[in-house]
Amino acid sequence: MAMNRRDFLHTTAATAAGLAVSDLALASSVRDVNCIFLLLVGGPSQLDTWDPKPDAPAEVRGPYRPITTRIPGVCFTELFPRMAAAADQFAVVRSIYHESAPIHETGHQLLQTGQLEEIALEYPHFGALVSAAKGRRGRVPANVLLPGPIGFCGVNVGHGQTAGELHKTHEPATVPVAVEGDPMRTRYGGSEFGDNCLRAARLVEHGARFVTVNMFTTVYDTITWDCHAAGGSLRSTLADYATLGATFDIAFTALLADLRQRGLFDSTLVVATGEFGRTPYLNREGGRDHWSGVWSALWAGGGVRGGRVIGSSDRLGGEPRDCPVGPEQFARTVRLALGLPVRGGPIPGLLA
């Protein structure tokens, strides 16, 4: 039977992402795991969050002191006391990296599709693949994006959050979910990000299969993880991490606790990652610049073995020391956890 251009691109997009269209049809009978994907837009510094280097030189280790966690011998920075106390509930992969240009857009694409878009071909987001494989469940869309799409971050290309050449019915939906009266709202911190994490939990509870939460929708004129400067400019600074850290620390731990309380933890994969890390050495302004050489990602629920650190960075936090995890392996791990067929192995030791 003849295949038109759209059918060809539809098949090519799915196959190139590691899934044949016929494979997707089989996935609905495999693991029925949902996902909440927290995209930490701007790219958190690995050294100032979940991979501190207290023995590194001052120009590397940054301003935040390490604190112990529930995992013996593992430290986070002082910005995450709740996460440190709950570290047995999630895993940290400290050896994520990619070799493409260290700009926001490449990281956004690679971490949400496994590949970079090509001319006239954008690869489908994880949520679109899940939607195509398993379909809608009830009245809630299968693939949801909160609070909305990422805007301009420096380069006029996609951010990897569309359905690509899959059918438009698999595009992410933005759903207004009222949380003002939810008794858990205070526990999530009352921030915009906290509210969106709460919305994500409620959407999964009501049938959504994949919810992406963009912590920010731009890196301009607002405080984000994009900490180029020490202060005195419109750029975000390392000093802003005190605010960002508290916001994330509260919302992330509340999300895990909420999912457990509602019996959704084991059936919901939670992934939190930025699009890259930050330079090991502070720049002239006392901030950190883009760095795709290594960074950390957080994994919980959905078959993840919690209470462990997988992979490590070198003594300066500049590149993987062991168990390097590239975008393809990262993507395979997400797909495998969600019951989608994969070709190749996941991150070793992460999934049960």
Side-chain angles (χ1 to χ4, degrees), residues 319-333:
E319 61 183 32
R321 184 175 63 183
D322 59 69
C323 192
V325 175
E328 299 85 358
Q329 190 174 36
F330 183 98
R332 287 196 299 269
T333 307

Side-chain angles (χ1 to χ4, degrees), residues 38 82-83 86 89 184-190 193-195 197-198 201-202 246-262 265 270:
L38 308 177
R82 290 174 176 82
M83 292 181 68
Q89 299 179 29
M184 283 290 290
R185 189 183 183 206
T186 301
R187 189 169 180 181
Y188 277 82
F193 177 67
D195 283 354
C197 288
L198 174 55
R202 296 298 171 265
T247 298
F248 185 81
D249 190 44
I250 294 169
F252 183 76
T253 52
L255 175 61
L256 300 192
D258 195 9
L259 292 173
R260 280 193 183 278
Q261 181 178 327
R262 294 174 182 272
F265 187 79
V270 178

Side-chain angles (χ1 to χ4, degrees), residues 34-300:
N34 309 303
C35 183
I36 297 175
F37 193 100
L38 308 177
L39 186 60
L40 311 186
V41 175
S45 159
Q46 64 280 12
L47 293 112
D48 300 293
T49 55
W50 307 292
D51 190 12
K53 302 293 181 181
D55 297 325
E59 61 270 25
V60 170
R61 65 177 179 260
Y64 301 111
R65 66 182 180 87
I67 58 173
T68 59
T69 72
R70 289 287 294 272
I71 308 173
V74 172
C75 293
F76 299 157
T77 70
E78 61 188 305
L79 302 180
F80 305 98
R82 290 174 176 82
M83 292 181 68
D88 57 330
Q89 299 179 29
F90 59 92
V92 184
V93 179
R94 284 178 167 173
S95 52
I96 310 292
Y97 79 100
H98 76 73
E99 296 178 336
S100 300
I103 59 175
H104 298 287
E105 296 77 7
T106 57
H108 293 160
Q109 292 177 26
L110 288 169
L111 271 294
Q112 297 177 98
T113 73
Q115 299 193 66
L116 292 179
E117 66 179 50
E118 302 174 23
I119 297 174
L121 178 60
E122 188 170 345
Y123 293 99
H125 180 265
F126 297 138
L129 293 175
V130 170
S131 176
K134 302 183 180 182
R136 197 177 182 120
R137 182 168 48 199
R139 296 184 178 182
V140 181
N143 181 19
V144 181
L145 179 64
L146 299 174
I150 300 172
F152 182 69
C153 288
V155 181
N156 236 340
V157 295
H159 297 276
Q161 294 189 325
T162 73
E165 284 291 336
L166 295 178
H167 194 274
K168 64 181 181 181
T169 57
H170 305 305
E171 288 286 342
T174 54
V175 179
V177 177
V179 295
E180 286 73 14
D182 195 301
M184 283 290 290
R185 189 183 183 206
T186 301
R187 189 169 180 181
Y188 277 82
S191 64
E192 182 181 4
F193 177 67
D195 283 354
N196 285 322
C197 288
L198 174 55
R199 288 185 179 97
R202 296 298 171 265
L203 284 165
V204 166
E205 186 176 24
H206 288 95
R209 297 187 182 277
F210 199 107
V211 183
T212 303
V213 178
N214 292 324
M215 190 166 183
F216 306 102
T217 57
T218 182
V219 294
Y220 293 113
D221 299 333
T222 187
I223 294 175
T224 75
W225 298 106
D226 200 25
C227 60
H228 288 279
S233 79
L234 291 177
R235 290 179 165 185
S236 298
T237 74
L238 278 179
D240 294 324
Y241 270 36
T243 299
L244 294 170
T247 298
F248 185 81
D249 190 44
I250 294 169
F252 183 76
T253 52
L255 175 61
L256 300 192
D258 195 9
L259 292 173
R260 280 193 183 278
Q261 181 178 327
R262 294 174 182 272
L264 297 169
F265 187 79
D266 292 337
S267 61
T268 305
L269 175 70
V270 178
V271 182
T273 182
E275 61 267 37
F276 45 52
R278 314 303 298 189
T279 49
Y281 286 93
L282 300 174
N283 61 29
R284 292 180 179 179
E285 295 184 340
R288 300 192 195 272
D289 299 317
H290 300 179
W291 185 258
S292 58
V294 74
W295 73 97
S296 301
L298 310 173
W299 302 72

